[in-house]
Amino acid sequence: MKRRRKLSRKERVVEVYDDIVINILHRLPSKSLARFKCVSKCWRKYIADSSLSYSCRSRRWRPQPYLIGFFYQARDTCERSKIQFFFSSEESSLDIDGSFDQSVSFLGRCAYIVASSNGFLLCNRQRIYYVYNPATRQSMALPKTQIGMNDPTIGFICKVDDPNRDVISFTIVRYWILQSNVTIESFSSETNAWIVDNLILNVPLRLYFFVYMKSPSAGVVDGVFFWLDQGPQITVYDSVHKSFWALGFPEDMVATGNYFLGFSGGDFYFALYVKTSITVWQLKSNIRSRDALWVRKYVTDVATTVPFGLTGFLHTEVQNMDIHPAIPHIFYLDVKSKVISYDMETDIAELVHDFGEYGWRTKHFKLFSYEWHQWPRIL
């Protein structure tokens, strides 16, 4: 009897051990899985099993991104163009290994991040664009653009065409407007070539981008790119039907101030922030509709809830803003050289990062959200 109980306990231990091993393997990057094939025949069997591999990929290709942190750099001078990174939480820093590149130094000085999408960065240096994966340190230099544009507006989207493969495809759109003429140059990883289109607008548009804060597209849905400039105006380009237009702001927007356009959880959000007051609207109309329908979602005054030594200032302004890519009620605010995570629903604020510089200098910082994938994607 005693012998049977001992065997029973051993069987239970082995069963739990297998579950733990499989659970661990689900969470490891592909490089680690390749190394761990040599641990034992049993581990090799687990890793080689197609159902486990598919399960790992399926979980990691989930539509909701897992935000790890933000890349940032200044755009006012070449001397301050160093690329840096900070984590969005203490927990997120535990999810990545030492191979993660936080400085993107492979391009040298005067290289700029111009956009981020789905765990990849789009960088530019002397008219050459690079797609870069900080998790694998893999980069791809794109062919030189066909035409020269003076600091054009950029759209960048990466997507997974086949969840059973660790390969992504990407599209880049850049444009410049001169009165009624829009010059659009697009690149697809499928064709590996730049294509130029010239459009004539029915209503002339002008760009008012602030030179240090040239923004990438706020988001892309079904081939439709959205941008925000400091005109202010929202510009939209439908890459499928080759059409370009300006989208109206919320009708109940009565004040003027600083603006933000972001994409989160499959929807677009527009925010107006004046001093410490923030109002957020959600776009409810079809993405291809030229008649925008905005619905007010949140109204808050961060001065009453944001601590960390920021209260008591007469001009405590939100200098920069970004939205969580999957949770639309969480915003990241640059206030007095500090990045604050603010939950619009629970009214809870947390200190995420301190730039350690004067507030007037951090206004030149641009944040690029980075989404981590435990099964690294390759180009």
Side-chain angles (χ1 to χ4, degrees):
M1 197 70 160
K2 184 177 181 180
R3 180 180 177 85
R4 277 198 217 86
R5 285 198 299 270
K6 186 175 181 180
L7 289 175
S8 178
R9 285 199 299 270
K10 183 178 180 181
E11 289 174 353
R12 286 198 298 271
V13 170
V14 170
E15 182 179 355
V16 173
Y17 177 77
D18 288 346
D19 290 342
I20 293 175
V21 169
I22 293 175
N23 189 32
I24 292 174
L25 294 178
H26 272 267
R27 301 172 184 272
L28 292 178
S30 56
K31 288 184 178 180
S32 298
L33 290 176
R35 293 197 303 266
F36 291 158
K37 285 183 179 180
C38 303
V39 171
S40 67
K41 292 181 179 179
C42 194
W43 280 37
R44 177 185 286 258
K45 180 185 69 174
Y46 294 147
I47 296 172
D49 188 281
S50 60
S51 61
L52 174 64
S53 177
Y54 179 79
S55 177
C56 290
R57 291 187 174 96
S58 296
R59 183 183 303 184
R60 289 157 187 160
W61 300 128
R62 61 186 182 275
Q64 289 195 347
Y66 179 30
L67 180 66
I68 280 289
F70 294 87
F71 286 93
Y72 70 95
Q73 68 179 147
R75 292 293 302 268
D76 51 343
T77 64
C78 183
E79 289 73 18
R80 296 212 317 132
S81 63
K82 179 181 178 181
I83 299 173
Q84 301 180 74
F85 180 86
F86 65 85
F87 293 99
S88 57
S89 66
E90 293 183 2
E91 293 77 11
S92 63
S93 63
L94 304 176
D95 292 329
I96 63 176
D97 53 31
S99 64
F100 179 67
D101 185 5
Q102 300 185 29
S103 61
V104 194
S105 57
F106 76 102
L107 289 176
R109 293 181 58 187
C110 295
Y112 295 99
I113 299 177
V114 294
S116 63
S117 175
N118 217 1
F120 284 81
L121 302 176
L122 180 64
C123 306
N124 177 260
R125 186 174 186 270
Q126 297 178 350
R127 287 187 60 188
I128 300 295
Y129 290 94
Y130 300 83
V131 177
Y132 184 60
N133 185 343
T136 62
R137 297 178 181 253
Q138 181 192 23
S139 64
M140 174 184 290
L142 306 185
K144 193 173 182 178
T145 57
Q146 293 188 23
I147 58 177
M149 295 185 185
N150 184 18
D151 198 12
T153 308
I154 297 292
F156 177 54
I157 179 66
C158 289
K159 61 180 181 178
V160 179
D161 297 316
D162 185 357
N164 294 318
R165 302 174 59 204
D166 298 328
V167 180
I168 60 98
S169 62
F170 58 89
T171 302
I172 302 169
V173 172
R174 64 190 210 127
Y175 77 87
W176 184 255
I177 298 178
L178 180 61
Q179 295 181 347
S180 298
N181 299 311
V182 182
T183 300
I184 298 175
E185 190 172 20
S186 58
F187 179 90
S188 171
S189 58
E190 297 177 356
T191 61
N192 196 38
W194 291 96
I195 299 175
V196 178
D197 290 304
N198 292 296
L199 304 179
I200 304 297
L201 302 178
N202 295 327
V203 179
L205 297 176
R206 294 183 61 188
L207 292 182
Y208 301 88
F209 280 107
F210 181 47
V211 64
Y212 300 140
M213 295 298 295
K214 201 56 145 326
S215 298
S217 60
V220 187
V221 178
D222 194 22
V224 182
F225 294 76
F226 286 72
W227 292 270
L228 173 69
D229 68 37
Q230 301 298 322
Q233 65 185 5
I234 299 173
T235 51
V236 185
Y237 173 60
D238 186 343
S239 62
V240 178
H241 299 97
K242 306 296 183 182
S243 56
F244 195 98
W245 67 93
L247 197 67
F249 286 112
E251 294 182 356
D252 56 344
M253 187 178 75
V254 296
T256 59
N258 294 320
Y259 307 91
F260 169 79
L261 182 68
F263 184 74
S264 177
D267 292 308
F268 285 96
Y269 292 84
F270 175 78
L272 168 69
Y273 49 105
V274 182
K275 299 296 183 180
T276 58
S277 177
I278 301 177
T279 306
V280 180
W281 292 266
Q282 180 182 6
L283 182 64
K284 287 293 188 178
S285 54
N286 185 280
I287 58 171
R288 287 187 164 85
S289 174
R290 305 198 179 198
D291 298 321
L293 174 60
W294 296 96
V295 176
R296 184 180 296 191
K297 292 287 291 186
Y298 309 108
V299 179
T300 186
D301 188 346
V302 296
T304 61
T305 56
V306 176
F308 320 116
L310 300 178
T311 57
F313 290 93
L314 181 61
H315 299 293
T316 303
E317 295 187 32
V318 177
Q319 295 180 316
N320 207 340
M321 178 185 293
D322 208 338
I323 190 172
H324 193 288
I327 309 174
H329 55 84
I330 295 182
F331 281 76
Y332 294 87
L333 315 175
D334 177 5
V335 184
K336 288 291 183 181
S337 80
K338 295 178 174 62
V339 178
I340 310 299
S341 170
Y342 184 70
D343 192 321
M344 295 280 184
E345 292 188 350
T346 62
D347 210 31
I348 296 177
E350 296 180 358
L351 177 63
V352 175
H353 182 71
D354 189 338
F355 288 118
E357 298 193 39
Y358 293 111
W360 62 269
R361 302 193 73 183
T362 64
K363 71 179 182 179
H364 298 312
F365 287 157
K366 180 63 183 175
L367 303 181
F368 298 90
S369 60
Y370 179 75
E371 304 150 26
W372 174 256
H373 299 278
Q374 292 173 327
W375 194 288
R377 298 170 178 174
I378 60 178
L379 296 171

